[in-house]
Structure formats: structure tokens, C-alpha cells
Amino acid sequence: MDGDAWATLADLFADEAYASVKGYVRTYVMHQQLLEQLPAPPATVLDVGGGAGHQSFPLAQAGYDVTLLDPSPAMLDKARQRLGRLPEEVRQRVTLVEADGEHADEAVSGRRFGAVLCHGVLGYLEQPEPMVDQLCRCTAADGIVSIMTANAQAMAVRPALERRWEDALAAFDSRREIGVLGVPGRADTVDELGELMQRRGVEPVRWYGVWLFVDWLEFGGAELDPGDAKEVAATAAVELEASRRDPYRQLSRVFHLVGRKVGAKPTS
């Protein structure tokens, strides 16, 4: 697609989606999962397809040195606006780069990072391999690769909850859907992505679910109030616990896979 494909979606994605209960839950749950796996600050973090920085700016606030890479000028404008509201010491730890994630290595001039994130991006690509290759390539020895994408094992959940029964029946054998932003998407499995990582020297160490109950409630028609801080916090706590346990994580519409790049073998 020519031009900035996200130009018309930037406001919807960066402002409305993340201001919802589901958006807050995603950011909170992913942040807690990342803190369990990331090297300690001030380690370097590359956020590939990082959009407006909802996931990586909290890491900069926690002391990490963050490079946010995104191909969309509109999304990077949103990132600059949000970055401008943060303290100067945090802004100094963030670098914005306009580039396609499938050319990330070139865009960062071969720099290697302690952690490379790619959240909510693979589903918009025809094939995951080129992006996974770049993510693993940009990761330093013993560094972390973090991928969040749609769960191919749970494709029937959304249409069923929306009572689209014919679509739900077809979804059991499908990897594709029109996402909540109206954009076509594709799903992957934990095992398949883990194998792609392993071929590139990154060993999967843990995977999590991301959304479960908030998805069921939203697609079932329930109204979730982002202004009810107590309710939102309680929801996030339940989602975090579910994200770590079977069978709950297996039913999450989205999964989060973390791998560690195998360090260089010592020379004798």
C-alpha cells in the first residue's frame, strides 16, 4: 500500500483504543510481563512498530533507553505529542526512527539491543518470517525478543461472542479476520513463532495470554467504564493472573511470546 496506511487510523488507535479498558489492560498486562523478562535498566530497548509509544514509553520512564521504530509518520507524530508531555529526563531516553520494521537492522545501523519488542505488528504482514528475522538480528547476545500477536488457536471466539455463527464456524479453520480497527489481519501460533525464533538463535522462554475476559465482555456487548479506576484495576489484576495460567492463556485472543538470544560461546 502506498503512502501512510495508518494516517486515517492514528487517532482511533492512539487515542481511543488505548483510552478504553481493553487498551489499559493490554498496556498494563504486557508491561508486567515485560518486567519479568527484561534485563535491568538502563538496558537498550528497540520497539519495532511501536506506534505512539504506549508500551515503550513506560519503559523509558522506568529507566530504559528506548528506540521506537515505526513506518507511519502519523503514528510518529502521535508519539512525539505523547513524548512531549513526559519529563525531560524521560524524553532524553527516547529516540524516534521512521522506518519499516522489515528493514530494522539497516534503520538502526546494525546496533544491537538488550530487548527488541514487536507488539501487534505481525498480524498485518503476509508472512511473519522477514520481520522475525529482523527482530532476532537486532537483538544482542543474551537479549530478549518480545512478540505479541493474534492467537490462531482462538479465532472463533470473537465472531461467536458477536453471534456471527457462520463466521465463527468458518473461523475454526481460518487464520484471517477483519480486526477491530477494520483492517485485515492474520494470526499465528506460539509453536510456529517459537520455531521461527529458534532457527534464528533465539530460544523461547515463556509465553503469556494478553486479553481474555475483557474481550468476552466487550464482544458480548457489556459496557466497560474506563473512568472507574477501582473496577479497571481489579479487571487488570484478574487479566494478569489469567495471562500466566492454563487453560486461560490458551483462550486469549492475543498471545505474548518472549525468547532469549543465545549468547556467543566462549573461545578456548
Side-chain angles (χ1 to χ4, degrees), residues 22-40:
K22 192 162 74 170
Y24 172 82
V25 165
R26 165 183 162 166
T27 304
Y28 173 81
V29 168
M30 292 283 292
H31 187 69
Q32 300 307 312
Q33 293 166 356
L34 285 169
L35 292 181
E36 291 178 3
Q37 304 293 341
L38 290 178

Side-chain angles (χ1 to χ4, degrees), residues 1-55:
M1 184 181 294
D2 295 330
D4 186 354
W6 284 89
T8 59
L9 296 172
D11 289 341
L12 176 64
F13 181 79
D15 298 330
E16 296 180 35
Y18 277 95
S20 68
V21 172
K22 192 162 74 170
Y24 172 82
V25 165
R26 165 183 162 166
T27 304
Y28 173 81
V29 168
M30 292 283 292
H31 187 69
Q32 300 307 312
Q33 293 166 356
L34 285 169
L35 292 181
E36 291 178 3
Q37 304 293 341
L38 290 178
T44 56
V45 175
L46 174 63
D47 189 4
V48 177
H54 287 85
Q55 202 69 64

Side-chain angles (χ1 to χ4, degrees), residues 54-66:
H54 287 85
Q55 202 69 64
S56 56
F57 287 177
L59 295 177
Q61 290 174 286
Y64 289 91
D65 177 359
V66 169

Side-chain angles (χ1 to χ4, degrees), residues 51-236:
H54 287 85
Q55 202 69 64
S56 56
F57 287 177
L59 295 177
Q61 290 174 286
Y64 289 91
D65 177 359
V66 169
T67 298
L68 188 156
L69 184 149
D70 199 282
S72 168
M75 293 303 297
L76 288 175
D77 282 344
K78 285 290 180 183
R80 290 187 188 92
Q81 292 170 23
R82 298 187 67 249
L83 191 59
R85 297 194 286 268
L86 297 178
E88 173 63 23
E89 64 179 33
V90 176
R91 295 199 299 268
Q92 290 179 352
R93 289 195 287 269
V94 176
T95 301
L96 303 180
V97 177
E98 183 181 330
D100 189 325
E102 291 174 295
H103 300 92
D105 183 40
E106 179 182 359
V108 299
S109 303
R111 185 181 178 192
R112 299 294 177 253
F113 295 80
V116 177
L117 319 182
C118 186
H119 300 157
V121 176
L122 288 191
Y124 298 113
L125 306 177
E126 279 300 313
Q127 298 294 333
E129 289 89 345
M131 180 68 83
V132 174
D133 183 71
Q134 289 292 295
L135 303 177
C136 297
R137 190 184 300 268
C138 291
T139 307
D142 295 320
I144 289 295
V145 176
S146 169
I147 298 175
M148 186 274 279
T149 195
N151 181 8
Q153 308 281 30
M155 292 294 285
V157 172
R158 178 188 168 200
L161 292 175
E162 293 177 337
R163 302 178 188 178
R164 294 185 285 113
W165 303 116
E166 291 184 5
D167 292 342
L169 192 61
F172 284 109
D173 297 310
S174 177
R175 291 290 188 95
R176 297 180 182 275
E177 67 171 357
I178 302 299
V180 293
L181 296 178
V183 179
R186 182 191 55 78
D188 294 285
T189 72
V190 172
D191 289 343
E192 289 167 353
L193 283 187
E195 185 177 337
L196 291 181
M197 283 183 173
Q198 285 182 310
R199 289 186 208 155
R200 292 158 177 83
V202 175
E203 288 295 324
V205 294
R206 189 163 185 185
W207 75 273
Y208 309 84
V210 179
W211 285 320
L212 180 60
F213 304 113
V214 288
D215 252 23
W216 291 355
L217 288 167
E218 180 180 277
F219 293 134
E223 294 288 335
L224 303 177
D225 181 8
D228 187 339
K230 184 177 180 180
E231 180 81 0
V232 171
T235 302

